[in-house]
Amino acid sequence: MSTDSFPTLPPAARVGDPLERIDTPALVLDLDAFERNLDLMQAKARAAGVALRPHAKAHKTPQVALAQIARGAVGICCQKVSEALPFLEAGVTDIHISNEVVGAAKLALLAQAARVGRFSVCVDDAGQVAELAAACAAQGSRVDVFVEINVGQDRCGVAGAPEVLSILQVISAHPQQLAFKGLQAYQGRVQHIRSREERRAAALAASARTAAVVAALQAAGIACPVVTGGGSGSVEFELAGGIYNEVQPGSSAFMDADYGANEYGDALRFEHSLFVLASVMSRVDERQAIVDAGLKSMSAESGLPRVWGRQGVEYAVISDEHGNLRGGAPLPQLGERVLLVPGHCDPTFNLHDELVCLRGGVVEAIWPVAARGLSR
Amino acid sequence: MSTDSFPTLPPAARVGDPLERIDTPALVLDLDAFERNLDLMQAKARAAGVALRPHAKAHKTPQVALAQIARGAVGICCQKVSEALPFLEAGVTDIHISNEVVGAAKLALLAQAARVGRFSVCVDDAGQVAELAAACAAQGSRVDVFVEINVGQDRCGVAGAPEVLSILQVISAHPQQLAFKGLQAYQGRVQHIRSREERRAAALAASARTAAVVAALQAAGIACPVVTGGGSGSVEFELAGGIYNEVQPGSSAFMDADYGANEYGDALRFEHSLFVLASVMSRVDERQAIVDAGLKSMSAESGLPRVWGRQGVEYAVISDEHGNLRGGAPLPQLGERVLLVPGHCDPTFNLHDELVCLRGGVVEAIWPVAARGLSR
């Protein structure tokens, strides 16, 4: 209709902006709380003599991983090979793919990446191991291998020591390409048990299943250099248990409303550092304020977001681009900013291209969520 | 560790690839079913003498909008100004922002976009209208304005005719910048009522509230050129009702498991055209097959995905990167491809950068989901 040039979307925030000037919805990080979370997790792992390999599936943001490694993390976990690539390029050189990788295209990419960094991967099938070895042979690279065992998640992972031994035979047939590194034992369902005592019992049950497999391997003369696993809800028990010598917490750097609903002890309690910043876009109905952040800015399958710093106000209804805030307390006015604690941080990060980092309410940095959308 | 060059992620699919060669997870479109859906929707709107303005929030993909406009759609709806920009750049010149736009930055962008294309926007607050007029004055542009009325969604939108008349006074004070175009009346909750009769009753109730406002405006001497609204679950009733002269269905082009669970009549029944292609990545447990597509590939807040073309197999558990398929029927083998009907198409599109378009099981095109992530 016009010869005017197409408008370009301005940046959501610039370094030095106060919170009130950030365009919404935006994913924001409170750097002070975030750094306290990193320091606490690293100190606890160091005190326990356990290696910390935080999971990057939670945040998909290379700057987060570099901040963890600077504090002493031995490397990171990724869940997909494609997800690992931006981290590798950012200088993270020790990456564990904490998941099974199946199919020629994905294995070729892994073998190629293993020429640049040190990579390990999980397996639970002998045929998959043979294909992995072939991919490494084609690339002239070598990959460390963890056999995943099922310790109660009932998802991936073999049942016990006999199956591990059978897979080890295939691994040992390819000494130029593959090295057995140990066991992965992760129990995801444990993480979200609300009662600390019940969570401890479930974590100890998973650890006991892991210990039994390690013992059976030792009896068969197989050493298991690394036992890796654990998550943000159970890590205090894995650090204390003596079974795991590497832990993989991801969400502890951020916390979310789901993890926040767990009961914790005083020893290992993390702070909310991650928020979705929203604006009130409609105040027609006196009983509610409508904000501009819904399902396209936060995942809701693990529960609705919590409204931060406004006691008595709740996020009551979520739709694709809207949220209905309600409550007895005074509601924010039209145009006012609101901070929301997302229900589940991992899929929420995966909706955003940028993480706006604040210190004292002012933008200090903008970090690219470089692995956003990389699920292959 | 090495001077090897960083691996780059190869494309997930290339034109001419068979389905089996597409890397997973991938968002795929069955072009034949999609085109039948577009043709059916356009034919029904034409027969009813109602303008079709499909919602682009569902798909965020300019090629989809262009295919709809080529069949007779008068333009599109977007939910955010940022979302509209890739459509504008792709040649879609008539865009209705079916939502309130609040704040100087967003209004400036809208006013700027209105110099290139024809834009309309919803309002429900007099102050918002004055700011919109100021933004248009600063850009030398003009925007059509719809007053949104609440017809049962209880989200945005004013209560009735007196509030519309009060906002109209502000609109009419800025004749160079703003033109009153009509009413928007959308009832989102109606869309997902399973029973067709109950859905019809709820849709007619929303239409009756709309008709009452139109009549009150007419009695006050105000003509209402356009009444816009409706969604894929209710559009058959809005087309027949004589109240709406423009409808906004988005999901009808794709359908999803949630819309698929509705009961429909024979007159307006759409096909599933949108799928997430996944691969089986673990088959350790005989009772289940684990696929590589979870919450980062499909939203689940409206229900789990359905497994397509495999009777008796269900997607039983979803986690961030995994899905557990279970059932009495034979389960797919390790590495095998599976098509999944996502629970909710709108937030699912928003997770993907590309839509892989298939005809007869072969890739015909790859369309960028260009407005993915644009929620400002």
Side-chain angles (χ1 to χ4, degrees):
Chain A
M1 290 181 71
S2 155
T3 56
D4 272 312
S5 62
F6 294 111
T8 53
L9 188 63
R14 293 178 174 85
V15 170
D17 276 351
L19 184 137
E20 294 69 29
R21 207 178 295 154
I22 301 170
D23 198 11
T24 61
L27 189 68
V28 305
L29 185 69
D30 176 341
L31 282 169
D32 288 330
F34 166 73
E35 291 170 2
R36 286 193 294 268
N37 287 341
L38 296 196
D39 290 338
L40 176 63
M41 187 71 249
Q42 188 62 58
K44 292 290 177 180
R46 189 174 285 128
V50 170
L52 179 62
R53 183 182 288 279
H55 217 304
K57 76 189 267 296
H59 55 78
K60 291 179 171 273
T61 304
Q63 297 299 325
V64 170
L66 294 171
Q68 292 166 323
I69 290 166
R71 283 167 170 78
V74 298
I76 62 168
C77 298
C78 286
Q79 201 75 320
K80 303 284 185 121
V81 180
S82 65
E83 184 177 75
L85 299 183
F87 292 93
L88 186 63
E89 197 145 357
V92 179
T93 56
D94 189 331
I95 301 179
H96 171 50
I97 309 293
S98 58
N99 202 6
E100 284 68 20
V101 175
V102 172
K106 295 180 199 298
L107 290 167
L109 191 66
L110 172 59
Q112 202 187 340
R115 294 173 58 169
V116 184
R118 178 173 191 162
F119 274 78
S120 55
V121 68
C122 286
V123 300
D124 68 2
D125 179 90
Q128 174 204 3
V129 176
E131 287 187 34
L132 170 64
C136 289
Q139 291 287 339
S141 64
R142 196 155 191 265
V143 167
D144 290 329
V145 179
F146 284 83
V147 181
E148 183 165 25
I149 59 173
N150 177 13
V151 292
Q153 170 94 337
D154 294 333
R155 198 169 64 187
C156 306
V158 301
E163 293 81 5
V164 176
L165 289 168
S166 153
I167 287 178
L168 281 178
Q169 289 191 318
V170 189
I171 295 173
S172 62
H174 304 280
Q176 303 301 314
Q177 287 79 40
L178 308 179
F180 174 62
K181 190 79 178 291
L183 299 178
Q184 174 168 300
Y186 176 68
Q187 221 299 29
R189 285 188 220 153
V190 169
Q191 309 304 319
H192 306 285
I193 297 174
R194 298 305 181 210
S195 149
R196 180 161 177 252
E197 276 316 303
E198 290 173 28
R199 201 164 68 250
R200 179 208 297 271
L204 294 183
S207 290
R209 287 174 71 162
T210 308
V213 177
V214 173
L217 293 179
Q218 277 172 336
I222 306 289
C224 204
V226 179
V227 177
T228 188
S232 298
S234 62
V235 67
E236 62 170 319
F237 311 119
E238 283 118 15
L239 287 178
I243 311 296
Y244 292 81
N245 54 11
E246 183 179 281
V247 290
Q248 308 180 352
S251 302
S252 64
F254 313 103
M255 296 298 280
D256 54 32
D258 190 13
Y259 269 118
N262 279 0
E263 174 205 346
Y264 296 96
D266 288 332
L268 199 53
R269 187 192 294 277
F270 299 99
E271 302 172 51
H272 292 296
S273 68
L274 184 76
F275 305 91
V276 170
L277 182 68
S279 300
V280 177
M281 53 172 287
S282 179
R283 272 307 318 266
V284 170
D285 184 337
E286 285 198 357
R287 299 159 308 162
Q288 61 182 8
I290 309 301
V291 294
D292 63 354
L295 289 167
K296 291 182 182 166
S297 304
M298 301 167 290
S299 75
E301 89 299 327
S302 299
L304 292 174
R306 285 204 302 117
V307 181
W308 185 248
R310 290 178 183 268
Q311 213 161 13
V313 178
E314 64 162 355
Y315 190 113
V317 181
I318 194 164
S319 43
D320 288 354
E321 293 90 0
H322 301 85
N324 299 40
L325 306 190
R326 295 177 186 159
L331 292 166
Q333 294 306 307
L334 190 66
E336 209 172 320
R337 296 287 195 277
V338 180
L339 286 167
L340 305 168
V341 179
H344 186 182
C345 65
D346 304 37
T348 297
F349 264 105
N350 194 44
L351 294 168
H352 294 268
D353 291 299
E354 290 180 343
L355 180 63
V356 179
C357 303
L358 300 167
R359 200 180 304 273
V362 174
V363 177
E364 181 172 300
I366 296 166
W367 291 346
V369 186
R372 196 274 325 147
L374 296 179
S375 295
R376 289 199 266 150
Chain B
M1 290 182 70
S2 155
T3 55
D4 272 311
S5 62
F6 293 111
T8 51
L9 188 63
R14 293 176 176 85
V15 170
D17 276 352
L19 183 138
E20 293 69 28
R21 207 177 294 155
I22 301 171
D23 198 11
T24 61
L27 189 67
V28 305
L29 184 70
D30 176 340
L31 282 170
D32 288 329
F34 166 72
E35 291 170 1
R36 284 192 296 267
N37 287 341
L38 296 197
D39 289 338
L40 176 62
M41 187 70 251
Q42 188 62 58
K44 292 289 178 181
R46 189 173 285 128
V50 170
L52 179 62
R53 183 183 288 279
H55 217 306
K57 76 189 268 296
H59 55 78
K60 290 178 171 274
T61 304
Q63 296 299 323
V64 169
L66 293 172
Q68 291 167 324
I69 291 167
R71 283 168 171 79
V74 297
I76 62 168
C77 297
C78 286
Q79 201 74 318
K80 304 283 186 123
V81 180
S82 66
E83 184 177 76
L85 299 183
F87 291 92
L88 186 62
E89 198 146 357
V92 178
T93 54
D94 189 332
I95 301 179
H96 172 50
I97 308 295
S98 57
N99 203 6
E100 284 68 20
V101 174
V102 172
K106 295 181 198 297
L107 289 169
L109 191 65
L110 172 60
Q112 202 186 340
R115 295 174 56 171
V116 184
R118 177 172 191 163
F119 275 78
S120 54
V121 67
C122 286
V123 300
D124 68 2
D125 179 270
Q128 173 205 4
V129 175
E131 288 188 32
L132 171 63
C136 288
Q139 291 288 339
S141 64
R142 195 157 192 264
V143 167
D144 291 329
V145 179
F146 285 84
V147 181
E148 183 165 26
I149 57 173
N150 176 13
V151 292
Q153 170 93 337
D154 293 333
R155 199 170 64 186
C156 305
V158 300
E163 293 81 4
V164 176
L165 288 169
S166 151
I167 287 179
L168 281 179
Q169 289 191 317
V170 189
I171 295 174
S172 61
H174 303 280
Q176 303 300 314
Q177 287 80 39
L178 309 178
F180 174 62
K181 190 78 178 291
L183 298 178
Q184 174 168 299
Y186 175 68
Q187 222 298 29
R189 287 187 217 152
V190 169
Q191 309 304 319
H192 306 286
I193 297 173
R194 298 308 181 208
S195 148
R196 181 163 176 252
E197 277 316 305
E198 290 174 29
R199 203 164 67 250
R200 179 209 297 270
L204 294 184
S207 290
R209 286 175 71 162
T210 308
V213 177
V214 172
L217 292 179
Q218 276 173 336
I222 306 288
C224 205
V226 179
V227 177
T228 186
S232 297
S234 62
V235 67
E236 61 170 318
F237 311 119
E238 283 117 14
L239 286 179
I243 311 297
Y244 292 81
N245 55 10
E246 183 177 281
V247 291
Q248 308 179 352
S251 302
S252 65
F254 312 105
M255 297 298 280
D256 53 32
D258 190 11
Y259 270 117
N262 278 1
E263 174 206 345
Y264 295 96
D266 288 333
L268 199 54
R269 186 192 295 277
F270 299 100
E271 302 173 49
H272 291 296
S273 68
L274 183 76
F275 305 91
V276 170
L277 183 68
S279 299
V280 177
M281 52 172 289
S282 179
R283 272 308 317 265
V284 169
D285 184 336
E286 285 197 357
R287 299 159 306 163
Q288 61 182 8
I290 309 301
V291 294
D292 63 355
L295 289 168
K296 291 181 182 166
S297 304
M298 300 167 291
S299 75
E301 90 298 327
S302 299
L304 292 174
R306 286 205 302 118
V307 181
W308 184 247
R310 291 178 183 268
Q311 213 161 13
V313 178
E314 63 161 358
Y315 191 112
V317 182
I318 195 163
S319 43
D320 288 354
E321 293 90 0
H322 301 86
N324 299 39
L325 306 190
R326 295 177 186 158
L331 292 166
Q333 294 306 305
L334 190 65
E336 207 172 320
R337 296 287 194 279
V338 179
L339 286 168
L340 305 167
V341 180
H344 185 182
C345 64
D346 303 37
T348 296
F349 263 104
N350 193 44
L351 294 167
H352 294 269
D353 292 298
E354 291 180 342
L355 179 63
V356 180
C357 303
L358 300 167
R359 201 181 302 274
V362 174
V363 177
E364 181 173 300
I366 296 166
W367 291 346
V369 186
R372 196 273 325 145
L374 296 178
S375 295
R376 289 199 268 147

